[in-house]
Amino acid sequence: MEYKKGLRAGIPIALGYLSVSFTFGIIAVKYGFEIWQAVLISMITVTSAGQFSGIQTMTVPGLYWDMLISQLTINVRYSFMSISLSQKLDSRFRGIWKWILGFFITDEIFAVSVMRPVVTRSFFAGLATLPWAGWTVGTLLGASLGNVLPAAVMSALGVAIYGMFVAIVIPPARDDHHVIIAILIAAAVSVIFTYVPGLKNISPGLAISIAAVLAAVTAALVHPVPDEEENEEVQA
């Protein structure tokens, strides 16, 4: 029963992943990866931003430190999500199951899981099944059909990943204008690394990491978020 509930909850996530991973498959083949390589990357990583950044870095040989730094910066959030979610796990969700199912943590899966008072092993397994399958199948379809589709369709699908990120940042930006400041800082730094001579030679992965860190640090300094104790003191 819990597994079926998880499956149903994962359907919307799977549909979203299908379209975005389709774009990843197209871009991976465009960068010179074989179809099986693109599919394997999606099967064993399941990280949208990390994969898009990673394949860009992998096209330039020898950028091992750039790859390490960029992937740590982009994906470290999953560790914090796992720590937060671990407070809601039931007694059966322990041991090797944490390692196995922790692999499937994504922003959307975490958001659905954390809304439940208790997360059972069966529910989380069901929740992760279809999104993982959708991400993998979408990559396969994109990598296989990328050279067949018309150029106009290819161009339209190429912006799907940006649409997903816009959908993620717009809701919190509407509630807090400081989020907009962080977004603008990251965008400005990215533009600098794209067009300024010398800086534009830095790998995309490292440029993304620097932009993310600068935006986060600046936003934290300008508008630090008070912790729960400070909020209680203010309300008292």
Side-chain angles (χ1 to χ4, degrees):
M1 181 65 72
E2 282 289 294
Y3 183 79
K4 290 182 179 179
K5 290 181 180 179
L7 281 177
R8 288 195 294 268
I11 291 175
I13 302 175
L15 294 175
Y17 284 2
L18 190 67
S19 60
V20 176
S21 62
F22 191 95
T23 305
F24 171 76
I26 292 173
I27 294 177
V29 172
K30 179 181 177 181
Y31 282 168
F33 289 85
E34 299 291 340
I35 294 176
W36 69 267
Q37 292 174 323
V39 174
L40 183 62
I41 290 173
S42 286
M43 289 179 66
I44 64 177
T45 56
V46 198
T47 164
S48 57
Q51 290 181 213
F52 279 90
S53 171
I55 60 174
Q56 287 182 296
T57 306
M58 290 166 68
T59 58
V60 182
L63 298 181
Y64 303 115
W65 283 108
D66 293 44
M67 175 68 79
L68 176 63
I69 294 171
S70 64
Q71 293 303 310
L72 282 176
T73 305
I74 293 171
N75 296 319
V76 69
R77 70 187 189 278
Y78 296 130
S79 298
F80 298 111
M81 291 178 189
S82 298
I83 294 172
S84 175
L85 191 60
S86 67
Q87 309 304 309
K88 292 178 172 286
L89 305 182
D90 71 348
S91 58
R92 296 181 59 197
F93 204 149
R94 62 179 185 271
I96 189 63
W97 288 104
K98 287 185 177 180
W99 290 87
I100 295 174
L101 298 181
F103 163 79
F104 295 98
I105 283 284
T106 66
D107 302 275
E108 295 77 13
I109 290 176
F110 169 77
V112 173
S113 299
V114 80
M115 296 298 292
R116 294 173 62 88
V118 177
V119 180
T120 65
R121 185 177 66 189
S122 297
F123 175 84
F124 191 87
L127 177 63
T129 299
L130 292 181
W132 179 83
W135 188 257
T136 302
V137 172
T139 301
L140 175 61
L141 293 175
S144 302
L145 302 177
N147 294 327
V148 179
L149 296 175
V153 177
M154 291 277 291
S155 178
L157 290 171
V159 301
I161 182 65
Y162 306 108
M164 185 187 73
F165 290 134
V166 169
I168 291 174
V169 301
I170 289 300
R174 287 186 301 190
D175 298 331
D176 189 348
H177 70 276
H178 295 93
V179 176
I180 300 177
I181 295 175
I183 295 171
L184 293 176
I185 293 172
V189 174
S190 297
V191 170
I192 291 173
F193 278 107
T194 301
Y195 295 105
V196 174
L199 292 179
K200 66 181 181 180
N201 295 325
I202 295 177
S203 70
L206 186 57
I208 291 173
S209 299
I210 295 173
V213 171
L214 286 177
V217 170
T218 304
L221 292 175
V222 173
H223 183 66
V225 178
D227 57 28
E228 294 182 0
E229 293 182 1
E230 291 176 345
N231 282 329
E232 292 175 358
E233 293 176 359
V234 171
Q235 292 176 357

